[in-house]
Amino acid sequence: MAVSNENKGKMFFGLTAGIIYILFAVMQILNGLGLGLDFMDTLMIPADVFGGFVLLVIGSIFIYGFKEMNSGIHEGVAFVYFGILMSLVFVIIYLAIMGANALSWYGLGLEDMEGWTPLHDMKPGLYLGLLSLLGLLAWKDKFAMKGLSKAGI
Amino acid sequence: MMKDKMTIALAGNPNVGKTTIFNNLTGTRQHVGNWPGVTVEKKVGTKTYKNRELEIVDLPGTYSLTAYSIDEVVARDYIVEEKPDVVIHIVDATNLERNLYLTTQLMEHGAKVVIALNMMDMARERGDQIDIDKLSSLLEIPIVETVGCDGIGMDELLDEALEEVNKGPHHHHVVGYGKDVERYIGELAIIIQKDEVLAKKYPSRWVAIKLLENDEEVLKKLKGSPAEKEIRKKLKAIDTDEMEAHMADKRYEAIGSILPQTCSICVPKMNVSDMIDKVVTNKYLGIPIFLAMMWGAFEITFTFAVPFMEIIDMIFGGLAGVISGMGNGWLPSLLGDGIIGGVGSVLIFLPNILILFWILALLEDSGYLARAAFIMDKLMYNLGLHGKSFIPMLMGFGCTVPAIMATRSIEDNKDRMITIMVAPFMSCGARLPVYVILAGIFFGGAAGSVIFSLYALGILVAILSAVLLRKTLFKGKPAPFIMELPPYRVPTLKTSLIHMWERGQMYLKKAGTIIFLGVIIIWVLAYFPSGVEYGSEDSYIGMMGKVIAPIFAPLGFDWRIAVALIFGFVAKEIVIGAMGVLYGAGDNEELLSDAISDSSSSGIYPAHALSLMVFTLLYMPCIAVVGVIKKETGSWKWTLFAVLYSTGLAYIAAFIVFRIASAMGYGG
């Protein structure tokens, strides 16, 4: 089945984002297992297996979407949208943690946080979110959650 | 002869343009209120058309006439009880398969139906070719093409509705359910007809089908019927467990046989809910996505709460300062060491608890938790647990008491008993303070991951216990799982905060009652006999600790931890409060951290901390949970079993963890 031009863009996005996320996931997991390399510090990759697992899941969602669309299954686009959404949820989580750490150091002056700067909390889960942000802006009408009602009490 | 006044009900799935058509038909002549007894909005409009006074009722959106949600109950009750003259069923032309499911049920009930095939412009735009005449002929229902947003087809719709009302007795078009089920339907229908009142009010075939589907609302209608006894006897002899799923399959089969004949090209449409479901229920990605989301929830619960915990700590520190200004004696000690120290050490963790509850509320409100149950069902079934067990187990992350009460929704007694026995292994909010403080001290930046691993361990132990119980005490297979997934909803801040508060206030209430009492008892035991150092080995609590310490020694615990764990039976939150007393730190979290982190004097190393966290996770549930287990099982034998089984398991697991960690060099 032929792939429409609109879906070609999403396919390319899914493939690119998927590869990047999985690459960083592997590095973060390796670092977490004590198998890190020097250049990983430059990329601000923490030693965090679980955080790496999250990147791996997001990357797999993107790749799965690409695979589906490449097989002519239009619904594969759902995986690309969800990958974008999930990576941005984690950006919000990491930003909230960064905010709390800022409050702990700049606001309360906690000893444990001495010398903390926002760079301490910078990690792939945060800066790779920029890629997803581009996707969100490109297809923002798809994220309007049309048709969903608000949760009631 | 046509009536001068007639009632038209508008029915249909959510988001098919029902309200737009209602507005087109009634204009400004609308009245908005509530359906009796519920908070579901009721919209009624009037219209004068061709000298007829029409009352048009906009029913809540519903996918079927099987009454599960309040919306469905309202919609079905109106059609079944109020019997409108005609039902206009609004069908989304771009999603025929799902929409026609409701049509099959309306047909089954025998209501006079006219279909408004709405959103036809969109269907055409994407290339769908629907043969409306053929569809109408196969369904034996008049169909009118409409485009609600442009007001197209409204007069034709009303014309068809008026004509339908004027038709004679309606032919009940039925779906065939297969030889065996049809026999049951026939036998039940004959019995139902013996009750003249019931048979006059409802079509007997429809009642028989609903009874076979175990429809509780219809079962209630039998109460007092002369046929009730015979019907119940008949139902008892029929295995109705999988009947509802079987009937749903048959209805979709019927739709599946009609669609290819009437829609030569139909592009399936995905809405937002379908898109999300396609991903989160994917057989490969569903479980990893769930685990990633849960990890994110615990990461934010642990880290984001830190400054807020610090602020509470400062407040209690200030209070303790005021008390210490009152001098020595039993009263300042009771207030400072006992009440402020004990209750304060529990309240410090309120931010963690509230954040965790808020995230669980967001996930629940969005509809995701029901999907989590769905994706876990296959796994759970293979492990001997019922799919419905997953919801109580998830609730166990908040508090075990409501989790055990939620097992009431599990019909099979064996499934229910297994769930009750394993639910306490899901780590409740009360255990979180122990993890937060110990993981924070000994595992620093990896604390979030350690806490996540403890929650994962709880799930693993629950699953393994379920397998064991299924193979020994509760032999047999779990009952099949049928659950309707609620539609996704956008969680709102207000609603999620209300839900968070409903659960969070239980924690606060507990701090003001049972924990308050517990800390006073601890204070008495730590302060007396008069003149001894508070919480020392010479106090009653110290003497008690010395007696029980040998039991806990293989796990790496000294007498202080042993005493704290014993008091944890009152409420798990007390463990940290008791440790505060016994390590001379009171409510001051920093002092307690300092005291514990000084391994040479506290005797606590990472191996001890891990062992203590594992023991706290698994050992006997608190007194409130024991009470609810007794109430729900109705048996002291099973209650005692739950206490002994969990404590024995905790002992073994903590012993293994301590030995392994010590062997790895983490034992000091």
Side-chain angles (χ1 to χ4, degrees):
Chain A
M1 199 185 283
V3 179
S4 69
N5 278 338
E6 196 197 348
N7 276 0
K8 271 182 190 161
K10 286 164 195 164
M11 258 174 70
F12 177 73
F13 181 89
L15 179 66
T16 314
I19 291 172
I20 294 173
Y21 265 94
I22 289 175
L23 210 62
F24 275 85
V26 171
M27 287 193 282
Q28 193 159 319
I29 291 168
L30 285 176
N31 209 7
L33 295 173
L35 303 168
L37 299 168
D38 288 345
F39 75 92
M40 291 182 187
D41 289 341
T42 320
L43 292 171
M44 292 177 277
I45 295 172
D48 176 8
V49 175
F50 288 106
F53 168 73
V54 171
L55 294 181
L56 190 66
V57 172
I58 295 170
S60 306
I61 295 169
F62 281 128
I63 292 291
Y64 199 94
F66 163 77
K67 188 191 83 77
E68 293 258 293
M69 283 192 282
N70 197 38
S71 316
I73 303 168
H74 166 76
E75 286 82 1
V77 77
F79 289 85
V80 175
Y81 295 148
F82 191 84
I84 291 172
L85 210 60
M86 187 163 164
S87 57
L88 290 175
V89 165
F90 275 90
V91 167
I92 293 168
I93 289 174
Y94 292 139
L95 282 177
I97 291 171
M98 193 186 267
N101 286 341
L103 178 63
S104 296
W105 174 233
Y106 299 123
L108 302 169
L110 295 187
E111 274 178 37
D112 293 349
M113 302 300 294
E114 195 169 345
W116 179 89
T117 68
L119 274 183
H120 282 93
D121 283 343
M122 190 53 78
K123 53 182 86 178
L126 253 177
Y127 57 77
L128 291 182
L130 285 174
L131 196 65
S132 294
L133 196 62
L134 287 177
L136 178 79
L137 293 173
W139 303 298
K140 59 175 179 266
D141 58 311
K142 304 288 181 191
F143 293 89
M145 300 293 166
K146 281 177 200 160
L148 293 194
S149 55
K150 286 182 179 174
I153 296 166
Chain B
M1 176 100 183
M2 273 197 194
K3 289 193 211 171
D4 288 327
K5 193 177 174 187
M6 61 180 271
T7 315
I8 297 174
L10 301 186
N13 288 187
N15 309 310
V16 292
K18 207 154 42 64
T19 304
T20 312
I21 289 183
F22 174 74
N23 290 337
N24 284 337
L25 293 177
T26 59
T28 53
R29 293 172 63 188
Q30 294 183 9
H31 168 72
V32 181
N34 271 1
W35 291 91
V38 289
T39 52
V40 179
E41 193 177 73
K42 181 181 185 182
K43 279 183 174 178
V44 182
T46 51
K47 184 178 177 74
T48 309
Y49 185 75
K50 293 190 175 170
N51 295 323
R52 303 283 184 280
E53 192 61 30
L54 310 179
E55 185 181 69
I56 301 171
V57 183
D58 185 12
L59 295 176
T62 176
Y63 293 102
S64 77
L65 288 188
T66 306
Y68 284 120
S69 70
I70 190 72
D71 284 2
E72 283 172 345
V73 172
V74 166
R76 188 178 84 175
D77 279 358
Y78 187 80
I79 293 169
V80 173
E81 306 291 344
E82 303 293 324
K83 294 187 173 55
D85 294 302
V86 65
V87 177
I88 292 182
H89 177 204
I90 294 140
V91 166
D92 176 358
T94 65
N95 202 344
L96 279 178
E97 189 183 23
R98 183 195 276 180
N99 280 248
L100 289 180
Y101 187 79
L102 178 62
T103 317
T104 60
Q105 297 206 312
L106 287 167
M107 283 156 45
E108 211 156 62
H109 174 259
K112 291 190 171 183
V113 180
V114 172
I115 288 179
L117 198 58
N118 200 29
M119 303 190 199
M120 272 303 289
D121 53 336
M122 284 167 71
R124 279 208 187 88
E125 206 171 281
R126 65 178 199 175
D128 286 4
Q129 291 174 11
I130 304 170
D131 185 339
I132 293 175
D133 290 340
K134 194 159 188 185
L135 184 62
S136 173
S137 135
L138 289 171
L139 293 171
E140 295 183 71
I141 291 175
I143 299 177
V144 178
E145 210 178 287
T146 58
V147 180
C149 53
D150 295 333
I152 295 171
M154 298 302 120
D155 285 349
E156 291 85 341
L157 193 58
L158 290 179
D159 287 339
E160 282 295 348
L162 293 177
E163 203 172 305
E164 188 66 12
V165 172
N166 206 29
K167 280 180 187 167
H170 195 71
H171 166 59
H172 287 204
H173 194 119
V174 295
V175 172
Y177 292 108
K179 200 175 152 192
D180 288 343
V181 180
E182 284 297 335
R183 182 163 56 85
Y184 296 142
I185 294 171
E187 287 168 359
L188 280 168
I190 289 169
I191 305 171
I192 292 159
Q193 278 164 2
K194 289 180 186 170
D195 180 346
E196 280 181 18
V197 180
L198 195 69
K200 206 174 173 186
K201 204 168 177 193
Y202 312 106
S204 48
R205 179 181 169 83
W206 180 80
V207 177
I209 290 169
K210 291 295 149 196
L211 290 173
L212 286 171
E213 286 181 331
N214 278 326
D215 190 309
E216 282 180 18
E217 295 296 317
V218 175
L219 278 165
K220 277 184 206 163
K221 293 184 200 305
L222 289 180
K223 215 168 182 186
S225 159
E228 182 182 1
K229 206 176 165 188
E230 202 179 342
I231 289 171
R232 287 197 186 273
K233 194 178 161 194
K234 184 81 206 161
L235 285 173
K236 219 174 175 182
I238 301 170
D239 181 9
T240 54
D241 278 352
E242 291 185 59
M243 206 62 91
E244 192 181 352
H246 170 80
M247 289 180 163
D249 281 348
K250 289 290 176 189
R251 287 182 195 124
Y252 275 114
E253 263 178 34
I255 296 165
S257 67
I258 290 171
L259 279 184
Q261 300 178 60
T262 55
C263 190
S264 53
I265 302 175
C266 271
V267 184
K269 179 198 169 193
M270 274 208 301
N271 58 26
V272 177
S273 268
D274 295 334
M275 280 198 185
I276 301 172
D277 270 343
K278 190 167 171 64
V279 184
V280 300
T281 60
N282 180 278
K283 64 176 171 178
Y284 303 113
L285 294 168
I287 293 177
I289 289 170
F290 172 68
L291 292 176
M293 299 290 259
M294 286 294 116
W295 179 81
F298 293 125
E299 186 73 358
I300 201 167
T301 297
F302 177 68
T303 322
F304 187 71
V306 171
F308 304 101
M309 292 167 73
E310 196 60 36
I311 290 167
I312 296 176
D313 198 22
M314 284 173 185
I315 294 169
F316 276 97
L319 272 175
V322 172
I323 299 294
S324 66
M326 291 167 66
N328 295 321
W330 70 269
L331 185 62
S333 175
L334 172 64
L335 292 174
D337 300 326
I339 295 169
I340 293 177
V343 177
S345 63
V346 171
L347 288 184
I348 276 174
F349 298 97
L350 190 63
N352 297 96
I353 305 290
L354 291 181
I355 292 170
L356 183 65
F357 285 166
W358 183 59
I359 293 169
L360 284 177
L362 285 177
L363 292 173
E364 195 175 350
D365 290 352
S366 69
Y368 178 70
L369 280 194
R371 270 75 184 178
F374 172 75
I375 56 171
M376 298 301 279
D377 174 53
K378 197 177 171 191
L379 179 71
M380 308 254 311
Y381 188 87
N382 290 335
L383 294 169
L385 269 169
H386 189 269
K388 276 189 185 169
S389 306
F390 192 69
I391 298 287
M393 287 169 78
L394 261 181
M395 287 172 74
F397 284 137
C399 178
T400 316
V401 172
I404 287 175
M405 288 165 78
T407 59
R408 288 175 192 174
S409 64
I410 302 169
E411 293 88 1
D412 184 88
N413 193 46
K414 282 182 185 173
D415 295 339
R416 185 162 178 256
M417 287 298 284
I418 293 176
T419 313
I420 290 174
M421 294 298 138
V422 304
F425 294 128
M426 309 307 287
S427 193
C428 69
R431 287 172 249 200
L432 193 60
V434 181
Y435 310 152
V436 171
I437 206 152
L438 291 172
I441 293 169
F442 293 100
F443 300 96
S449 298
V450 169
I451 295 172
F452 175 71
S453 305
L454 283 161
Y455 277 82
L457 177 68
I459 297 170
L460 184 70
V461 171
I463 288 171
L464 293 177
S465 298
V467 174
L468 184 71
L469 292 169
R470 176 66 74 187
K471 290 196 170 164
T472 53
L473 300 172
F474 303 102
K475 284 182 183 166
K477 283 208 157 200
F481 175 73
I482 301 172
M483 181 177 164
E484 189 153 343
L485 295 178
Y488 281 103
R489 294 184 197 282
V490 180
T492 62
L493 187 66
K494 185 184 163 194
T495 310
S496 56
L497 287 178
I498 288 171
H499 288 158
M500 175 196 81
W501 180 244
E502 279 167 1
R503 292 165 187 174
Q505 67 176 353
M506 281 171 66
Y507 185 84
L508 275 177
K509 214 180 263 177
K510 214 169 158 191
T513 53
I514 197 162
I515 293 170
F516 184 79
L517 194 68
V519 295
I520 289 178
I521 294 169
I522 292 174
W523 176 84
V524 170
L525 293 172
Y527 190 80
F528 294 104
S530 193
V532 298
E533 192 187 336
Y534 182 71
S536 68
E537 292 179 48
D538 300 322
S539 64
Y540 288 131
I541 208 167
M543 292 176 209
M544 230 175 86
K546 289 285 176 190
V547 173
I548 56 173
I551 302 169
F552 290 95
L555 313 183
F557 305 158
D558 69 0
W559 69 271
R560 289 170 291 195
I561 297 177
V563 169
L565 287 171
I566 295 292
F567 280 102
F569 178 57
V570 177
K572 293 275 165 89
E573 295 92 331
I574 294 180
V575 173
I576 284 295
M579 283 174 76
V581 169
L582 297 165
Y583 284 90
D587 72 309
N588 192 312
E589 198 207 334
E590 260 177 52
L591 277 182
L592 180 59
S593 296
D594 290 344
I596 292 174
S597 61
D598 181 3
S599 300
S600 57
S601 66
S602 70
I604 302 178
Y605 292 87
H608 300 77
L610 277 176
S611 172
L612 177 54
M613 286 190 282
V614 169
F615 193 85
T616 306
L617 164 71
L618 302 175
Y619 87 119
M620 64 171 132
C622 70
I623 202 160
V625 175
V626 171
V628 83
I629 291 177
K630 163 69 183 67
K631 195 177 165 206
E632 296 299 316
T633 61
S635 152
W636 276 115
K637 186 185 90 179
W638 287 116
T639 308
L640 189 66
F641 174 81
V643 170
L644 294 179
Y645 176 71
S646 55
T647 308
L649 206 61
Y651 196 92
I652 296 166
F655 178 80
I656 294 170
V657 166
F658 179 66
R659 293 296 150 189
I660 292 174
S662 297
M664 290 169 74
Y666 295 111

